């Protein structure tokens, strides 16, 4: 994962404020899994906004443990607790490196209705695109050093094979590159990472249940034991 790219990410984390991007929840039809809400901090919530249990997950798209939870544990949690209105699940970003930033920007592409599907697809294909980071060119790395973040992310998108992966989600290269150039989305993602670090998040995935930081959550059973 190219450690020499990680240091310049610190440049991104200076003087970034959160943006208001709230969205009202719609009534659930056939279960709460169709209800997606965007918080005033830009985080995405699936499920009943008034659920008695509010679960927050800080995740990284380059984290293998996050992928494992998303693909193996999250579906069961959503079926048992989110669909029934007993819990909501809020996703927040915790960036680990600049590649992670590129994936996080793409996850938001297409609006809130596509977010959770985009996320699942990025995790399902993680080994494919993450295995291509050796193809990131010197020119693309220079874009990051020069703080041309859109240029850097566009280069990463092209060079590690994220274009065909996002096209499988119905997102064209033109749409994807517009998303990667979205300065407001960039601020939102960086602000979440900054606030997560301030709240004690030092690894991924990290969970909060009803406002309390939890240790050693690796499965649905682990989460279940923390719910009301």
């Amino acid at each position: 994962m190219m450690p020499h790219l990680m240091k310049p990410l610190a440049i991104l984390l200076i003087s970034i404020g959160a943006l208001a991007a709230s969205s009202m929840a719609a009534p659930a039809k056939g279960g709460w899994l169709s209800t997606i809400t965007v918080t005033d901090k830009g985080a995405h919530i699936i499920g009943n906004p008034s659920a008695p249990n509010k679960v927050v997950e800080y995740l990284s798209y380059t984290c293998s443990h996050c992928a494992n939870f998303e693909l193996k544990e999250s579906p069961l949690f959503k079926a048992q607790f989110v669909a029934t209105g007993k819990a909501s699940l809020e996703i927040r970003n915790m960036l680990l490196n600049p590649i992670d930033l590129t994936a996080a920007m793409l996850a938001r592409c297409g609006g809130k209705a596509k977010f959770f599907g985009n996320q699942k697809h990025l995790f399902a294909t993680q080994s494919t695109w993450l295995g291509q980071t050796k193809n990131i060119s010197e020119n693309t790395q220079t874009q990051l050093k020069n703080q041309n973040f859109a240029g850097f992310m566009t280069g990463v998108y092209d060079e590690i094979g994220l274009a065909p992966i996002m096209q499988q989600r119905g997102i064209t290269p033109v749409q994807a590159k517009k998303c990667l150039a979205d300065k407001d989305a960039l601020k939102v993602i960086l602000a979440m990472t900054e606030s997560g670090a301030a709240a004690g998040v030092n690894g991924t995935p990290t969970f909060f249940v009803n406002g309390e930081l939890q240790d050693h959550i690796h499965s649905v059973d682990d989460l279940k034991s923390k719910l009301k």
Side-chain angles (χ1 to χ4, degrees), residues 57-71:
E57 179 184 3
Y58 279 90
L59 56 74
S60 157
Y61 291 105
T62 60
C63 162
S64 60
H65 297 294
C66 299
N68 182 73
F69 191 89
E70 172 72 19
L71 300 175

Side-chain angles (χ1 to χ4, degrees), residues 1-2 5 61-62 97-104 106 122 125-138 140-141 151-166 177 180:
M1 175 56 67
M2 302 191 311
L5 280 180
Y61 291 105
T62 60
N97 52 69
I99 310 303
D100 205 6
L101 174 61
T102 305
L106 291 172
L122 283 164
T125 59
Q126 184 191 76
S127 61
T128 299
W129 53 266
L130 201 54
Q132 300 301 313
T133 55
K134 62 183 181 296
N135 294 330
I136 296 176
S137 68
E138 191 171 322
T140 293
Q141 295 179 47
F152 168 75
M153 290 187 286
T154 298
V156 169
Y157 166 83
D158 287 329
E159 292 165 0
I160 70 173
L162 282 165
I165 286 170
M166 295 310 295
K177 290 177 181 181
L180 293 173

Side-chain angles (χ1 to χ4, degrees), residues 30-34 46-47 69-70 72-89 220 223 227:
W32 286 100
L33 293 178
S34 61
I46 186 170
F69 191 89
E70 172 72 19
K72 296 182 179 179
E73 301 294 333
S74 187
L76 184 58
F77 176 72
K78 290 174 183 175
Q80 291 184 348
F81 298 100
V82 178
T84 58
K86 297 175 183 176
S88 61
L89 176 62
V220 172
L223 266 180
L227 302 180

Side-chain angles (χ1 to χ4, degrees), residues 53-58 77 88-90 92 94 195-202 205-215 217 223 226-227:
N53 293 286
K54 293 178 171 55
V55 176
V56 174
E57 179 184 3
Y58 279 90
F77 176 72
S88 61
L89 176 62
E90 178 178 342
R92 297 181 188 176
M94 173 54 64
S195 63
V201 178
N202 55 23
T206 292
F207 293 88
F208 286 75
V209 178
N210 300 319
E212 295 187 5
L213 177 63
Q214 306 296 322
D215 293 325
I217 299 294
L223 266 180
K226 306 296 183 180
L227 302 180

Side-chain angles (χ1 to χ4, degrees), residues 109-129:
C109 203
K112 67 178 184 177
K114 293 187 76 71
F115 175 80
F116 284 93
N118 288 347
Q119 173 168 289
K120 183 176 181 179
H121 191 58
L122 283 164
F123 277 128
T125 59
Q126 184 191 76
S127 61
T128 299
W129 53 266

